[in-house]
Amino acid sequence: YLSLLKLCTYQKAQPQAKRLYTHLSRHNLHISPFLGENLVLSLARCGALPCALRLFGQLPHRTVFSWTGLISGFVENGRGLDAIRLHRHMIRDGHNPDRYTFSTLFKAIGSIRDVKAGESMHSLANSRGFGADLFVVTSILSMYGKCGDIRQAEDLFSTTLCRDHDVVCWNAMLTAYVDNSQGEKALLLYRQMQEIGMYPPTHQTIVVALQACGMLVSDHKESSMILEIGEGLHSFARKNHILSHVFVHTTLVSMYGRCGDTNSAQKLFSNFDEKDVVIWNAMITTYAQNRVAKDALLLYAQMHQEALLPNRVTHVGVLQACATDALSVQGKQVHACIIKNVNFRSELVVENVLISMYGNCGQIEYAQTIFEQMNDKDVVSWSSMIGACSRHGHS
């Protein structure tokens, strides 16, 4: 049972985790405390939070492990504020957080971007003796980055503990810079990593450095210089045998796309055997960004032929391609595919790009119909509709 639960947790297989829970309950099988705790962990991390809470309340003895498992489930399912509330109940229950609990709590705080709560939890971690624990310190650094407090992240990173011992800490600082749109600082830090020989490099190091390159091109920096840096990162990934990692490969496709090198992006895409929907999206977005609408549409059709289900990002990319080249007929065909799939029909970002696409193609009536039927509108929805009217003389 423990092996099955671990597999459910790894695969995020909620129906199977629930069936195991029902099976154990229905047959009155003896659930050892350790198995019960792992069942809570599996249900929580698979997203079956009501079931996890119900079982948690039935545990004869709650431990730090079971509390941490429950908290991590709430964090992974976008319930950061509830996770922090659970921590307060944990304290009242007489359990102090361990290093894993603290790491999970800092993720929760980063997800809600509450720097004051982060500072308070940082003080608590120090008072509990975790101020010199590299695992916890790295989580704190990431939390400050997510909260937008780069100064505190840099102060923490500058300590000997972080800088001298662990590539994960360096990756956390790189990510903090990228999360806060500081691409130049990220690339300077990456250069420092090379200069001091911070090894072994990880796929995350390369991914974040490549994201920084893409960010600088978007900021209208010199694209040829950025492309040269990106090519160096590509070569480094190949030499260190991490080019085959799907995240590295996908980010390289995106980087070349942002730099306008569609040929290199296409070669990478074609030579990668285990393509998932993310790398397909990266290639479609590359074509859209570089005004190659025909190839974006061909790739979208190929996805359907290979029975690979497009997601929200796919539809946004291919609709942007249609909008750029004012391909209203093809845009309507993509719109028809979206209507058939109820999962994306009322997605705000998809509806916004549909308004923009129809507006660019001069189909104001279609844009107006979508706008009026939207359940929710944000500032992008209104701006897209205003722009569509403005471009076609409906002042």
Side-chain angles (χ1 to χ4, degrees):
Y1 288 118
L2 186 59
S3 298
L4 287 168
L5 285 171
K6 285 181 178 179
L7 189 60
C8 287
T9 305
Y10 179 74
Q11 297 285 352
K12 298 284 190 255
Q14 185 185 126
Q16 288 80 0
K18 281 183 173 179
R19 281 204 287 271
L20 274 170
Y21 174 41
T22 304
H23 167 75
L24 290 164
S25 304
R26 186 175 294 163
H27 294 278
N28 294 316
L29 294 173
H30 173 66
I31 302 178
S32 67
F34 187 60
L35 183 59
E37 289 180 329
N38 276 276
L39 188 50
V40 168
L41 173 66
S42 184
L43 288 166
R45 296 184 72 173
C46 288
L49 298 176
C51 288
L53 280 168
R54 194 180 314 120
L55 178 60
F56 183 75
Q58 295 169 358
L59 291 177
H61 301 290
R62 291 189 281 268
T63 65
V64 174
F65 177 82
S66 57
W67 275 106
T68 303
L70 190 63
I71 290 169
S72 70
F74 275 82
V75 175
E76 290 184 21
N77 287 279
R79 303 271 295 274
L81 193 58
D82 290 326
I84 295 165
R85 289 173 181 149
L86 278 172
H87 167 248
R88 298 190 190 111
H89 290 295
M90 176 182 178
I91 298 295
R92 293 193 200 105
D93 200 36
H95 297 282
N96 290 321
D98 62 11
R99 65 200 299 258
Y100 298 105
T101 320
F102 273 120
S103 177
T104 303
L105 288 166
F106 285 119
K107 285 180 186 175
I109 292 166
S111 71
I112 63 171
R113 291 172 167 75
D114 187 344
V115 72
K116 293 297 181 185
E119 289 170 343
S120 176
M121 193 65 70
H122 188 176
S123 297
L124 180 62
N126 285 337
S127 69
R128 299 287 186 189
F130 293 100
D133 186 304
L134 189 60
F135 181 67
V136 175
V137 170
T138 303
S139 300
I140 298 170
L141 195 159
S142 296
M143 177 273 297
Y144 282 128
K146 294 292 182 188
C147 291
D149 195 334
I150 286 293
R151 184 188 61 78
Q152 293 215 64
E154 288 175 332
D155 288 347
L156 195 57
F157 179 71
S158 65
T159 63
T160 305
L161 175 71
C162 251
R163 290 182 66 87
D164 292 354
H165 289 89
D166 194 28
V167 70
V168 178
C169 228
W170 285 74
N171 288 346
M173 193 66 234
L174 280 170
T175 304
Y177 282 136
V178 169
D179 284 346
N180 289 275
S181 303
Q182 297 192 22
E184 287 187 26
K185 283 191 173 184
L187 290 179
L188 284 171
L189 190 65
Y190 173 74
R191 183 184 294 172
Q192 287 180 38
M193 288 183 75
Q194 289 186 306
E195 287 171 353
I196 68 169
M198 179 56 67
Y199 289 100
T202 68
H203 72 272
Q204 187 185 354
T205 313
I206 303 300
V207 164
V208 179
L210 287 167
Q211 287 172 339
C213 290
M215 183 180 296
L216 289 174
V217 172
S218 298
D219 290 341
H220 308 293
K221 302 293 182 183
E222 182 59 48
S223 59
S224 59
M225 181 185 72
I226 301 303
L227 179 58
E228 190 176 331
I229 295 170
E231 289 171 339
L233 288 163
H234 186 172
S235 176
F236 183 80
R238 186 187 298 110
K239 288 176 183 175
N240 287 276
H241 310 293
I242 52 178
L243 186 58
S244 60
H245 196 288
V246 64
F247 290 150
V248 175
H249 223 88
T250 302
T251 315
L252 273 166
V253 169
S254 296
M255 183 276 297
Y256 280 120
R258 285 179 179 272
C259 292
D261 189 349
T262 55
N263 288 333
S264 294
Q266 174 61 49
K267 285 177 185 175
L268 276 164
F269 177 78
S270 299
N271 293 333
F272 196 65
D273 295 326
E274 299 178 15
K275 297 183 184 72
D276 62 3
V277 68
V278 181
I279 196 166
W280 282 81
N281 290 346
M283 197 63 233
I284 287 172
T285 303
T286 289
Y287 284 138
Q289 288 169 342
N290 290 280
R291 302 179 69 91
V292 195
K294 179 183 174 183
D295 288 337
L297 287 161
L298 284 172
L299 213 57
Y300 179 67
Q302 192 180 338
M303 283 185 78
H304 285 280
Q305 289 167 5
E306 298 191 14
L308 187 65
L309 187 66
N311 62 15
R312 176 182 58 192
V313 179
T314 319
H315 289 124
V316 168
V318 76
L319 286 169
Q320 285 174 339
C322 293
T324 303
D325 282 10
L327 302 173
S328 61
V329 173
Q330 292 85 345
K332 286 176 184 176
Q333 290 171 344
V334 176
H335 189 184
C337 292
I338 293 169
I339 290 170
K340 288 177 185 176
N341 192 326
V342 293
N343 294 326
F344 307 117
R345 195 181 299 169
S346 58
E347 281 268 9
L348 181 61
V349 67
V350 175
E351 289 176 320
N352 285 345
V353 79
L354 278 166
I355 293 170
S356 179
M357 187 271 293
Y358 281 124
N360 283 359
C361 293
Q363 304 278 336
I364 301 297
E365 310 83 21
Y366 285 96
Q368 184 73 30
T369 300
I370 293 165
F371 182 76
E372 289 174 354
Q373 291 177 352
M374 290 174 73
N375 294 324
D376 298 299
K377 300 179 181 73
D378 62 4
V379 69
V380 178
S381 318
W382 289 92
S383 300
S384 297
M385 195 63 231
I386 290 169
C389 293
S390 174
R391 275 191 298 274
H392 297 282
H394 301 285
S395 301

